[in-house]
Amino acid sequence: MQLLYQQSGRLFAFKKKTKVMIERDGAATSLWQSSTNAFHGSRQFVNQEFDVIIVGGGITGLTTALLLQKSGKHCVLLEAKSLCFGTTGGTTAHLNTLLDTPYAEMIKNFGHENARLVANNAKAAIELIEKNILEYEIDCEFQRTSAFLFAKDHGQEKELDEIVGAANNLGVESKFVSKIPWPFQFRKAAEFSGQAKFHPTRYVMSLAKAFEELGGLILENCRVKYAEYKQVILIDSPLGKIYAHHLVYATHIPPGVTQLNLRCAPYRSYAIALQIESDYPESLAYDMEDPYHYFRVQTIDEQKYLIAGGEDHKTGHPTLSENPFKSLEDLVSKHFKATAVSNRWSSQYFESVDGLPFIGKLSEVENNIYVATGFGGNGMIYGTVSALVLHDLITGTENPCIRLFSPTRHKLMASAKSFIKENVDVATKFFGKFWPAREFKSKDALETEEGGIFKMDGKTLAIYRDSNERLLVVDPTCTHMKCQVNWNEFEKSWDCPCHGARYSVEGEVLTGPADANLTKVEAVPLPAKAET
Ligand SMILES: Cc1cc2nc3c(=O)[nH]c(=O)nc-3n(C[C@H](O)[C@H](O)[C@H](O)COP(=O)(O)OP(=O)(O)OC[C@H]3O[C@@H](n4cnc5c(N)ncnc54)[C@H](O)[C@@H]3O)c2cc1C
């Protein structure tokens, strides 16, 4: 037995669990995958009618499903692969009220009261997570802590002043400090209290169990392609027809072509975990580089890990350095005693055009289809906020966030307009620009377990050489909006630079918004020297 959690003098002890690998949408293994018991649901699909269909088995989907089921709605959760397959399985799980969009920017763009609403909801999200952990006795090493943000030059110092000033103004407690518990050089630093951290996939799997115990149904391997909109929604799922009054896309980005493709940009972020001994700070830490780096420690089954992340770049675009993992390792080794890296992984997030998430009705016409996206690097928080907002929308409860986070909000800042313009011409701009197709002369053009874009007989092909030396060939045209995918060597996937759709080496959809696989090219007219 191990001690996991203490609150108000109450101690909770849990039994150690067996380690089972859960699935994720990439080839690299995140820290969470091997330390989580997968929950697959045990109920049979009998009844076809539900109050709410929730699509997506990450933190957003499961929190929403649980809240609605608890309020008496009869819910089914449909997951394309298995629970936590998406970014929830590849997150780093800092729980912040210190959000990526600085509060000063929020005040400027949305006004003081709205910025305060966001801050209060971030706080409420951490409280809801803590409440769920207590109520369902979840073994996920939740811990409240502080976050330290540190400036290394004059420009960053000015920015930090603004961040601290705006945060305090909105009731997010912060103060300047002369020392931080982390081994980084800085000119100025601030401490933000009221933050937290936890084991994300253990938390989400336990929410799934609680959801099922309350009568909810979980169906995995069930990709939702198209929802026919009427008074009653019909989904023709791989498991049969399903009807409901409401449908929530908790899919990180909704499938298909929607206006949100212009309002959310896909990014990759990289993380490493290193086994460490005990004398590391339990707080969270962030530098102020662009993009920034993030650090924290997580204990899993009595072993401590240092997690470092960053090196973010747009999906399907070139990485910031030749090897982002190596860059993170170099950064860590400069400041910490050298230790072995246990995990290296990357994952995807969607940055919103104006810095706030899109939570609510997908369109003004389709009145009972909802979405939750544009969380940036704060999806543990905004995913939980989404559950609160969507619950209130669907149960007809008033919530001031419904208007603020509406996906159809019309007020767009100047910066948001240029973001959209960039997005509109994204397809033409990036088509084949970064990795022009090479001629495929023989399979030696590729190393084992390497992919690339090639030309052959005037055709452009995406070719992968697998560990058995077979060539897997697909048409590189993204099925979402016809951009050309690029090779992601770190997760062994084909990634679209336009709207972030991702595919396996066989061309199977890993990440939306695409909902159809890449076309397989079965018979490649290989040059004489090449073999298949
Ligand atoms: C490296 C990295 C680190 C991060 N660190 C933090 C952090 O420290 N703190 C924080 O707050 N946030 C962080 N984030 C962001 C956060 O992890 C995500 O925003 C959050 O996990 C999103 O959860 P979700 O449930 O909305 O989506 P996901 O976890 O992506 O879940 C969506 C699910 O929907 C399924 N799905 C998709 N399409 C369909 C379909 N058509 N039919 C059926 N199912 C479908 C997918 O398979 C997937 O399982 C980080 C992000 C990255 C990339």
Side-chain angles (χ1 to χ4, degrees):
M1 298 277 267
Q2 59 179 321
L3 182 64
L4 289 161
Y5 185 66
Q6 180 168 12
Q7 195 199 36
S8 316
R10 289 169 70 198
L11 300 180
F12 293 85
F14 303 92
K15 274 190 190 149
K16 259 195 185 177
K17 298 221 170 112
T18 339
K19 290 179 182 175
V20 183
M21 184 76 91
I22 59 168
E23 268 191 303
R24 201 175 69 84
D25 62 1
T29 307
S30 79
L31 179 62
W32 321 114
Q33 281 175 267
S34 53
S35 54
T36 305
N37 280 325
F39 183 82
H40 296 296
S42 55
R43 283 175 187 271
Q44 296 299 311
F45 176 38
V46 183
N47 192 345
Q48 293 179 321
E49 284 183 39
F50 296 87
D51 293 320
V52 190
I53 297 170
I54 296 107
V55 188
I59 189 166
T60 309
L62 262 314
T63 315
T64 307
L66 180 60
L67 286 190
L68 286 168
Q69 188 74 30
K70 233 174 147 178
S71 286
K73 296 285 176 197
H74 184 31
C75 302
V76 58
L77 185 137
L78 308 178
E79 163 56 50
K81 301 292 274 185
S82 48
L83 301 186
C84 298
F85 184 77
T87 303
T88 300
T91 187
T92 52
H94 297 229
L95 297 174
N96 301 108
T97 57
L98 167 65
L99 300 168
D100 287 2
T101 303
Y103 285 116
E105 197 181 311
M106 274 188 224
I107 294 173
K108 198 170 120 230
N109 291 334
F110 296 94
H112 192 273
E113 278 320 302
N114 282 329
R116 183 183 288 277
L117 197 57
V118 178
N120 288 346
N121 270 272
K123 191 163 170 260
I126 301 181
E127 284 165 3
L128 175 60
I129 290 170
E130 190 170 22
K131 181 172 161 283
N132 283 337
I133 290 167
L134 283 170
E135 186 170 341
Y136 301 109
E137 298 193 352
I138 301 177
D139 165 359
C140 66
E141 325 235 6
F142 175 89
Q143 194 180 340
R144 287 227 176 231
T145 186
S146 287
F148 292 88
L149 184 62
F150 55 93
K152 292 200 276 191
D153 61 35
H154 181 63
Q156 293 178 3
E157 232 178 284
K158 250 182 88 190
E159 208 187 317
L160 186 61
D161 287 342
E162 273 184 26
I163 290 173
V164 171
N168 281 329
N169 205 334
L170 299 173
V172 178
E173 234 175 86
S174 57
K175 60 176 189 223
F176 290 109
V177 288
S178 56
K179 282 188 189 159
I180 64 172
W182 290 84
F184 300 110
Q185 298 289 323
F186 61 91
R187 278 172 64 118
K188 202 167 193 177
E191 176 177 358
F192 296 76
S193 49
Q195 318 298 302
K197 57 185 182 175
F198 70 159
H199 188 307
T201 48
R202 285 186 178 177
Y203 172 72
V204 171
M205 293 296 176
S206 300
L207 294 191
K209 184 167 171 281
F211 169 63
E212 199 188 67
E213 281 168 5
L214 284 169
L217 175 66
I218 294 171
L219 299 176
E220 293 182 309
N221 299 309
C222 188
R223 180 170 292 282
V224 173
K225 291 198 175 173
Y226 173 70
E228 188 182 319
Y229 170 73
K230 285 200 183 125
Q231 271 318 79
V232 173
I233 289 164
L234 162 65
I235 284 195
D236 207 354
S237 85
L239 302 175
K241 288 192 190 322
I242 303 176
Y243 300 89
H245 297 287
H246 304 269
L247 179 134
V248 174
Y249 282 123
T251 48
H252 214 180
I253 192 82
V257 178
T258 67
Q259 37 111 7
L260 289 165
N261 297 136
L262 296 183
R263 296 181 170 211
C264 297
Y267 280 80
R268 305 291 303 167
S269 190
Y270 296 78
I272 57 170
L274 304 94
Q275 290 198 358
I276 51 169
E277 299 312 321
S278 55
D279 57 345
Y280 277 68
E282 289 295 343
S283 51
L284 317 172
Y286 311 90
D287 67 21
M288 296 181 70
E289 304 294 320
D290 184 18
Y292 70 90
H293 297 97
Y294 41 100
F295 306 88
R296 77 176 188 91
V297 165
Q298 174 74 44
T299 306
I300 301 178
D301 300 334
E302 289 154 31
Q303 173 62 56
K304 281 181 188 286
Y305 297 86
L306 171 67
I307 305 171
E311 302 294 306
D312 305 14
H313 64 86
K314 274 192 170 173
T315 301
H317 290 222
T319 48
L320 297 185
S321 62
E322 201 180 324
N323 183 334
F325 295 128
K326 170 85 172 47
S327 303
L328 286 174
E329 281 167 51
D330 289 347
L331 178 67
V332 164
S333 66
K334 255 192 230 160
H335 300 283
F336 301 89
K337 272 186 230 148
T339 33
V341 177
S342 64
N343 300 75
R344 298 174 179 84
W345 73 98
S346 66
S347 196
Q348 184 144 309
Y349 63 89
F350 291 88
E351 194 71 48
S352 129
V353 61
D354 58 15
L356 287 191
F358 296 104
I359 307 167
K361 292 182 180 171
L362 178 57
S363 79
E364 278 155 4
V365 187
E366 294 167 320
N367 217 13
N368 48 2
I369 299 189
Y370 311 83
V371 69
T373 186
F375 300 156
N378 299 118
M380 298 284 107
I381 294 300
Y382 282 138
T384 308
V385 169
S386 299
L388 291 163
V389 174
L390 295 172
H391 168 274
D392 288 353
L393 252 174
I394 290 170
T395 55
T397 314
E398 270 195 33
N399 182 332
C401 288
I402 292 173
R403 189 184 48 79
L404 178 61
F405 294 140
S406 167
T408 54
R409 62 181 174 257
H410 292 300
K411 185 177 174 284
L412 286 173
M413 278 61 66
S415 59
K417 284 183 184 146
S418 64
F419 177 107
I420 286 181
K421 187 176 173 305
E422 180 195 337
N423 231 304
V424 165
D425 61 16
V426 76
T428 44
K429 199 165 164 193
F430 298 121
F431 195 85
K433 181 178 166 192
F434 301 128
W435 291 276
R438 292 175 280 155
E439 278 299 322
F440 193 81
K441 297 208 171 110
S442 84
K443 76 176 178 189
D444 295 335
L446 288 168
E447 300 285 327
T448 304
E449 298 190 9
E450 190 194 0
I453 303 292
F454 291 92
K455 281 228 174 295
M456 206 190 282
D457 287 348
K459 280 194 188 133
T460 306
L461 300 171
I463 307 181
Y464 174 70
R465 179 174 169 173
D466 77 4
S467 54
N468 296 319
E469 309 303 334
R470 282 180 314 152
L471 295 177
L472 306 181
V473 187
V474 289
D475 180 337
T477 310
C478 178
T479 58
H480 176 238
M481 283 184 79
K482 310 280 176 228
C483 296
Q484 183 184 295
V485 297
N486 287 318
W487 176 239
N488 175 343
E489 65 176 289
F490 304 102
E491 297 291 350
K492 309 267 183 250
S493 59
W494 298 110
D495 294 4
C496 181
C498 293
H499 305 105
R502 297 179 56 249
Y503 305 85
S504 72
V505 289
E506 286 94 5
E508 191 192 356
V509 176
L510 292 173
T511 308
D515 55 13
N517 297 341
L518 295 176
T519 309
K520 277 194 183 163
V521 181
E522 300 290 356
V524 198
L526 281 175
K529 269 172 70 185
E531 300 154 27
T532 42

Short mmCIF file of all heavy atoms in Angstrom, two decimals, residues 110-130:
data_model
loop_
_atom_site.label_atom_id
_atom_site.label_comp_id
_atom_site.label_asym_id
_atom_site.label_seq_id
_atom_site.Cartn_x
_atom_site.Cartn_y
_atom_site.Cartn_z
N PHE A 110 -10.88 40.96 -23.96
CA PHE A 110 -12.23 40.52 -23.58
C PHE A 110 -12.81 41.32 -22.41
O PHE A 110 -13.94 41.09 -22.01
CB PHE A 110 -12.22 39.03 -23.23
CG PHE A 110 -11.87 38.15 -24.39
CD1 PHE A 110 -10.56 37.73 -24.60
CD2 PHE A 110 -12.84 37.76 -25.31
CE1 PHE A 110 -10.23 36.93 -25.68
CE2 PHE A 110 -12.52 36.97 -26.39
CZ PHE A 110 -11.21 36.55 -26.58
N GLY A 111 -12.01 42.18 -21.81
CA GLY A 111 -12.49 42.97 -20.68
C GLY A 111 -12.19 42.30 -19.35
O GLY A 111 -11.99 41.09 -19.27
N HIS A 112 -12.19 43.13 -18.31
CA HIS A 112 -11.80 42.70 -16.98
C HIS A 112 -12.71 41.60 -16.44
O HIS A 112 -12.26 40.58 -15.92
CB HIS A 112 -11.83 43.93 -16.07
CG HIS A 112 -11.20 43.68 -14.75
ND1 HIS A 112 -11.91 43.15 -13.70
CD2 HIS A 112 -9.94 43.89 -14.32
CE1 HIS A 112 -11.10 43.03 -12.67
NE2 HIS A 112 -9.90 43.47 -13.01
N GLU A 113 -14.03 41.78 -16.59
CA GLU A 113 -14.97 40.82 -16.00
C GLU A 113 -14.86 39.45 -16.66
O GLU A 113 -14.93 38.42 -15.99
CB GLU A 113 -16.41 41.34 -16.08
CG GLU A 113 -16.75 42.32 -14.95
CD GLU A 113 -16.16 41.90 -13.59
OE1 GLU A 113 -16.46 40.78 -13.13
OE2 GLU A 113 -15.36 42.66 -13.02
N ASN A 114 -14.68 39.46 -17.98
CA ASN A 114 -14.54 38.17 -18.68
C ASN A 114 -13.23 37.47 -18.30
O ASN A 114 -13.20 36.25 -18.14
CB ASN A 114 -14.60 38.38 -20.19
CG ASN A 114 -16.02 38.57 -20.67
OD1 ASN A 114 -16.96 38.01 -20.08
ND2 ASN A 114 -16.21 39.36 -21.70
N ALA A 115 -12.16 38.26 -18.16
CA ALA A 115 -10.88 37.66 -17.75
C ALA A 115 -11.01 37.06 -16.35
O ALA A 115 -10.48 35.98 -16.06
CB ALA A 115 -9.77 38.71 -17.80
N ARG A 116 -11.76 37.76 -15.49
CA ARG A 116 -11.98 37.24 -14.13
C ARG A 116 -12.78 35.92 -14.18
O ARG A 116 -12.51 34.98 -13.44
CB ARG A 116 -12.72 38.28 -13.27
CG ARG A 116 -12.91 37.83 -11.82
CD ARG A 116 -13.70 38.84 -11.02
NE ARG A 116 -12.93 40.04 -10.72
CZ ARG A 116 -12.08 40.14 -9.71
NH1 ARG A 116 -11.89 39.13 -8.91
NH2 ARG A 116 -11.41 41.26 -9.50
N LEU A 117 -13.72 35.89 -15.11
CA LEU A 117 -14.54 34.69 -15.29
C LEU A 117 -13.64 33.50 -15.69
O LEU A 117 -13.80 32.38 -15.17
CB LEU A 117 -15.56 34.96 -16.40
CG LEU A 117 -16.77 34.06 -16.52
CD1 LEU A 117 -17.57 34.02 -15.23
CD2 LEU A 117 -17.66 34.57 -17.67
N VAL A 118 -12.70 33.75 -16.58
CA VAL A 118 -11.78 32.69 -17.00
C VAL A 118 -10.95 32.22 -15.81
O VAL A 118 -10.83 31.01 -15.54
CB VAL A 118 -10.85 33.17 -18.15
CG1 VAL A 118 -9.87 32.07 -18.53
CG2 VAL A 118 -11.66 33.61 -19.37
N ALA A 119 -10.41 33.18 -15.06
CA ALA A 119 -9.57 32.84 -13.90
C ALA A 119 -10.38 32.02 -12.89
O ALA A 119 -9.90 31.00 -12.36
CB ALA A 119 -9.04 34.12 -13.25
N ASN A 120 -11.62 32.44 -12.63
CA ASN A 120 -12.45 31.73 -11.66
C ASN A 120 -12.78 30.32 -12.15
O ASN A 120 -12.85 29.37 -11.36
CB ASN A 120 -13.77 32.48 -11.41
CG ASN A 120 -13.53 33.74 -10.60
OD1 ASN A 120 -12.46 33.92 -10.02
ND2 ASN A 120 -14.50 34.64 -10.60
N ASN A 121 -12.97 30.19 -13.47
CA ASN A 121 -13.29 28.86 -14.01
C ASN A 121 -12.08 27.93 -13.97
O ASN A 121 -12.24 26.72 -13.80
CB ASN A 121 -13.85 28.98 -15.43
CG ASN A 121 -15.35 29.12 -15.36
OD1 ASN A 121 -16.07 28.13 -15.35
ND2 ASN A 121 -15.84 30.36 -15.24
N ALA A 122 -10.89 28.48 -14.18
CA ALA A 122 -9.68 27.66 -14.09
C ALA A 122 -9.56 27.11 -12.66
O ALA A 122 -9.25 25.94 -12.43
CB ALA A 122 -8.46 28.48 -14.47
N LYS A 123 -9.86 27.98 -11.70
CA LYS A 123 -9.81 27.57 -10.28
C LYS A 123 -10.88 26.50 -10.02
O LYS A 123 -10.62 25.48 -9.38
CB LYS A 123 -10.08 28.83 -9.42
CG LYS A 123 -9.84 28.67 -7.97
CD LYS A 123 -9.74 30.05 -7.32
CE LYS A 123 -9.73 29.91 -5.81
NZ LYS A 123 -11.01 30.17 -5.18
N ALA A 124 -12.07 26.73 -10.59
CA ALA A 124 -13.17 25.76 -10.40
C ALA A 124 -12.83 24.41 -11.02
O ALA A 124 -13.24 23.36 -10.51
CB ALA A 124 -14.45 26.31 -11.01
N ALA A 125 -12.06 24.43 -12.11
CA ALA A 125 -11.69 23.17 -12.77
C ALA A 125 -10.78 22.35 -11.85
O ALA A 125 -10.97 21.14 -11.69
CB ALA A 125 -10.99 23.46 -14.09
N ILE A 126 -9.80 23.02 -11.23
CA ILE A 126 -8.91 22.28 -10.31
C ILE A 126 -9.74 21.74 -9.14
O ILE A 126 -9.56 20.60 -8.70
CB ILE A 126 -7.74 23.17 -9.82
CG1 ILE A 126 -6.92 23.65 -11.03
CG2 ILE A 126 -6.86 22.40 -8.84
CD1 ILE A 126 -5.73 24.53 -10.69
N GLU A 127 -10.69 22.56 -8.68
CA GLU A 127 -11.53 22.10 -7.56
C GLU A 127 -12.38 20.89 -7.95
O GLU A 127 -12.55 19.97 -7.16
CB GLU A 127 -12.43 23.26 -7.07
CG GLU A 127 -11.64 24.27 -6.26
CD GLU A 127 -12.35 25.60 -6.06
OE1 GLU A 127 -13.51 25.75 -6.53
OE2 GLU A 127 -11.73 26.50 -5.49
N LEU A 128 -12.89 20.91 -9.19
CA LEU A 128 -13.71 19.77 -9.63
C LEU A 128 -12.86 18.50 -9.73
O LEU A 128 -13.30 17.41 -9.32
CB LEU A 128 -14.38 20.07 -10.98
CG LEU A 128 -15.17 18.91 -11.59
CD1 LEU A 128 -16.32 18.46 -10.68
CD2 LEU A 128 -15.73 19.28 -12.96
N ILE A 129 -11.64 18.67 -10.25
CA ILE A 129 -10.75 17.50 -10.35
C ILE A 129 -10.49 16.94 -8.96
O ILE A 129 -10.59 15.73 -8.71
CB ILE A 129 -9.43 17.89 -11.07
CG1 ILE A 129 -9.71 18.16 -12.56
CG2 ILE A 129 -8.36 16.81 -10.91
CD1 ILE A 129 -8.56 18.78 -13.33
N GLU A 130 -10.22 17.83 -8.01
CA GLU A 130 -9.92 17.40 -6.63
C GLU A 130 -11.17 16.73 -6.01
O GLU A 130 -11.06 15.71 -5.32
CB GLU A 130 -9.49 18.62 -5.81
CG GLU A 130 -8.94 18.25 -4.44
CD GLU A 130 -8.31 19.44 -3.74
OE1 GLU A 130 -8.65 20.59 -4.09
OE2 GLU A 130 -7.49 19.21 -2.84
#
